[in-house]
Amino acid sequence: MRPPQTQIERYCRAGLWGTETIDSRFRANVAQVPDRLALVDAPNRESFTDGAPRRLSYAELDRAVDRVAALIRARGVAPGDIVVYQLPNIVESVIVLLACARAGAVASPLLVQFDTNEIGFVIDKLKPRLFIGGRFKKRDLADNVAALCDAAGCALVRVEDLLIGEDEPRTVAPSGRDADDVATICWTSGTEGRPKGVMRTPNNWFVTGRNMIHGAALRDGEVILNIRPLVNMAAIGGSFMSWLGTASTLVLHHPLDIGLVVRQIREERVTVTFMPPAFFVSLLKDEEMRAEADLSSLRLMGTGSAAIPAWAIDGIEREFGIEIINFFGSNEGTSLLSTPREVPDPAMRATLFPRFGRAEFDWPTFAPAHDFTTHLVDPDSGEEIVEPKRAGELRIAGPGIFVGYFGEPEMTGAAFDEQGRYRTGDLFEIAGEGELSRFYRFVGRCKDIIIRGGLKIAPAELDDLIAGFDDAVEAAFFGCDDDRLGEIVGVAVVPKPGRTVTLDDVIAYLKSRHVAVYKLPQAFLLLDALPRNALMKVQRDRLRELARAGQTGEEKRC
């Protein structure tokens, strides 16, 4: 599980990859600022999981990482083995990630929303040596997977058991693994159904970290508030790598509560955070919250995953003096960002991204601009698009792109074109002539992926699950517009003659299949037949149009 040697040598010669690992970077921070506050739990921790809120300095965190790394090894995990864990955003989620790096294990974090439908697939695919679970609200995440782990021969421990044992060894022998060995396997929705395990090395992650630090002009000792689940690019690449690269303080938050976000910003003197567009809109529309908010410490907010109203960016910058950066990324390594230095106009920054990775454009304020190349390609003809206002698939090559999908060589091969560029599946266009030719504008997706509040959902997976629903002749899932989350899941159902089907019926059936709650539909279409093209493929865009036009069943809940 390493990149090709030729790629390693090429990027090392260019100075884009090196020998630093996640553990060596963390150890350097400990040596430099041992007494600096490193990690802070959310004050409401006891309302959603076990244990009182904790605050750890770098030295205290280092001792916890030592202890957990030793305990992971003691439970039979050898360097290169896989550890799967399912934890909310608590200090232990960071400790386990760092402990895996120290022990030489491959970390594979899962969303707390995953149920046995998704977890069973992950365990069967990865064959992990160890599964670590905790509690989230009323769900005991460890008990939930006990039967799956037992059947797979995977050791199962509760996070609270892993973190005790003061008398056990606190050090581990060096793992022998380096910056080009796979460090993490994060899960992203596959267009054909089941999730895909995205493999990334420390060098991949450090490229993302550099992009964040340079692009957002981050400083030593920031106070970073993280509200995204610490399981994929948004939080690991955005918050964790920014924290690691600047020896900062990481303040954790879970689950999303905008009132609590405002409180944490005030009490912890947060300087940087990454928020969904819903936060901006809610803050500006809620007069009472806006009046009480003390955002004087906050100088930068990043956002993404859904369309951002230009008026919201303008309102936050004008009223609070906070710099807004628009991000566009993926687990595989897509990495675009739009900052006030490249795009001063908030209206433009809401929709446009600098064409980084193009030799014809110079972006002196963004050092990593030449780390990678970007191209727009006609998805049908393969022709490169160079003229404005013509949509094409964004393809990227560079040192931040992932190694491949775990156990899926054919899928990995299909993810790259003949030139070795990653096929993002995202449609962009050159924004216009003249000065606008320096920018990309997002158009849509060529993949049938629903992005609900930043979480990716494959409608094909849900189509497969609903196939056993007896009351329907056929059904299909699709993305439905939503002001708060960007998209929600919609379902179109063709009932069997004489049967009555409601949204609640569909939800109950999916719950019986133990589907993650965020994948459950919230919009409902009752149809006589599903719209299909000449090849009999369901036209999900047409379903979205029907929902947008209000031609839905009485059960629609957008």
Side-chain angles (χ1 to χ4, degrees):
M1 295 196 296
R2 289 169 65 89
Q5 188 60 33
T6 53
Q7 187 181 68
I8 294 173
E9 292 172 358
R10 183 171 77 253
Y11 288 141
C12 284
R13 282 196 303 269
L16 302 175
W17 284 357
T19 60
E20 190 171 49
T21 65
I22 290 172
D23 185 50
S24 67
R25 178 67 262 170
F26 174 64
R27 287 180 186 270
N29 291 348
V30 173
Q32 179 185 358
V33 288
D35 298 324
R36 179 178 290 172
L37 186 62
L39 273 183
V40 179
D41 263 325
N44 65 327
R45 170 177 170 142
E46 291 172 297
S47 71
F48 63 85
T49 196
D50 300 314
R54 302 174 68 187
R55 304 172 74 85
L56 299 176
S57 69
Y58 271 92
E60 291 168 332
L61 177 57
D62 184 51
R63 289 193 290 272
V65 170
D66 257 346
R67 186 165 62 250
V68 174
L71 290 168
I72 286 174
R73 286 274 188 90
R75 280 157 175 78
V77 177
D81 285 344
I82 297 171
V83 174
V84 176
Y85 58 96
Q86 188 180 28
L87 301 170
N89 281 358
I90 53 178
V91 297
E92 288 86 349
S93 60
V94 178
I95 292 170
V96 171
L97 178 56
L98 290 169
C100 285
R102 185 159 295 180
V106 179
S108 186
L110 303 181
L111 285 165
V112 292
Q113 293 94 335
F114 273 17
D115 209 330
T116 52
N117 172 69
E118 295 83 14
I119 298 171
F121 173 80
V122 169
I123 290 176
D124 183 62
K125 172 68 70 174
L126 296 185
K127 306 292 190 296
R129 181 72 65 178
L130 178 67
F131 190 105
I132 303 170
R135 177 181 69 83
F136 183 65
K137 296 184 177 179
K138 295 181 179 180
R139 295 177 62 218
D140 189 309
L141 303 177
D143 283 355
N144 191 46
V145 299
L148 293 173
C149 290
D150 185 58
C154 170
L156 172 64
V157 299
R158 293 178 165 281
V159 67
E160 59 266 31
D161 296 333
L162 191 66
L163 292 167
I164 63 175
E166 294 287 344
D167 56 338
E168 296 194 44
R170 298 190 185 186
T171 58
V172 297
S175 69
R177 290 168 62 77
D178 62 31
D180 296 309
D181 286 306
V182 168
T184 60
I185 300 173
C186 298
W187 294 90
T188 192
S189 289
T191 56
E192 300 305 321
R194 288 298 193 171
K196 297 178 290 188
V198 177
M199 298 185 291
R200 293 179 66 82
T201 69
N203 269 324
N204 291 150
W205 282 119
F206 279 116
V207 170
T208 300
R210 286 202 308 272
N211 287 349
M212 295 295 300
I213 292 167
H214 287 284
L218 300 182
R219 308 163 184 169
D220 176 77
E222 300 278 11
V223 179
I224 301 171
L225 174 63
N226 174 68
I227 62 98
R228 301 284 194 185
L230 279 159
V231 299
N232 55 24
M233 178 62 78
I236 298 177
S239 297
F240 177 84
M241 293 307 299
S242 296
W243 167 78
L244 191 66
T246 55
S248 292
T249 299
L250 187 62
V251 179
L252 301 174
H253 177 98
H254 201 157
L256 180 59
D257 179 324
I258 292 176
L260 183 58
V261 166
V262 172
R263 173 185 162 190
Q264 286 182 285
I265 291 172
R266 180 184 68 248
E267 294 181 351
E268 301 293 347
R269 306 307 294 163
V270 170
T271 61
V272 176
T273 190
F274 307 100
M275 287 289 168
F279 175 80
F280 299 79
V281 174
S282 297
L283 183 61
L284 290 172
K285 286 188 174 181
D286 189 326
E287 295 290 343
E288 184 176 346
M289 183 184 297
R290 186 167 55 175
E292 294 179 357
D294 176 4
L295 307 183
S296 58
S297 64
L298 195 61
R299 63 178 187 80
L300 184 147
M301 277 190 189
T303 191
S305 80
I308 311 161
W311 64 264
I313 293 181
D314 181 65
I316 292 288
E317 291 190 338
R318 183 165 31 81
E319 183 165 345
F320 296 101
I322 298 168
E323 181 176 294
I324 305 298
I325 296 179
N326 188 8
F327 291 97
F328 188 97
S330 71
N331 279 324
E332 288 86 350
T334 306
S335 184
L336 300 179
L337 73 165
S338 190
T339 83
R341 289 174 294 286
E342 289 85 23
V343 192
D345 184 347
M348 293 176 62
R349 205 179 326 134
T351 59
L352 302 185
F353 295 90
R355 293 176 64 193
F356 294 131
R358 301 292 305 182
E360 62 266 40
F361 302 120
D362 185 26
W363 304 96
T365 61
F366 187 49
H370 302 295
D371 281 8
F372 62 96
T373 61
T374 60
H375 301 265
L376 295 187
V377 176
D378 186 297
D380 296 319
S381 68
E383 174 191 2
E384 182 168 356
I385 294 172
V386 295
E387 68 270 27
K389 300 299 182 70
R390 179 184 169 191
E393 182 184 34
L394 179 68
R395 298 189 183 178
I396 298 179
I401 299 300
F402 74 128
V403 175
Y405 298 117
F406 182 89
E408 300 286 358
E410 292 185 4
M411 202 174 288
T412 297
F416 295 88
D417 65 15
E418 298 78 5
Q419 286 74 44
R421 302 173 300 196
Y422 170 57
R423 306 173 187 264
T424 66
D426 298 305
L427 295 174
F428 283 80
E429 65 181 12
I430 297 170
E433 304 281 0
E435 183 64 19
L436 286 177
S437 69
R438 295 166 56 85
F439 301 99
Y440 290 126
R441 178 185 287 111
F442 178 65
V443 174
R445 290 186 296 276
C446 26
K447 297 177 180 177
D448 288 331
I449 289 291
I450 303 165
I451 303 182
R452 181 188 185 275
L455 300 178
K456 294 185 178 181
I457 301 163
E461 176 192 2
L462 298 176
D463 287 353
D464 289 342
L465 290 169
I466 201 68
F469 183 51
D470 287 337
D471 289 335
V473 175
E474 57 181 355
F477 292 81
F478 61 97
C480 181
D481 299 336
D482 183 77
D483 290 339
R484 188 172 66 89
L485 296 170
E487 287 182 299
I488 56 176
V489 178
V491 61
V493 176
V494 178
K496 286 182 178 178
R499 304 281 181 91
T500 300
V501 178
T502 68
L503 178 60
D504 286 338
D505 295 331
V506 176
I507 290 172
Y509 178 78
L510 292 176
K511 283 184 175 179
S512 75
R513 301 295 301 274
H514 302 286
V515 173
V517 66
Y518 71 91
K519 297 180 182 179
L520 298 177
Q522 295 172 267
F524 183 74
L525 286 170
L526 201 60
L527 302 176
D528 295 327
L530 295 180
R532 297 179 182 272
N533 62 18
L535 299 176
M536 297 305 294
K537 183 177 179 180
V538 173
Q539 295 175 303
R540 300 188 201 272
D541 287 347
R542 177 59 181 152
L543 294 176
R544 180 192 289 269
E545 290 172 5
L546 291 173
R548 191 178 287 150
Q551 298 179 30
T552 61
E554 293 180 0
E555 298 290 335
K556 184 193 174 191
R557 301 176 185 178
C558 282

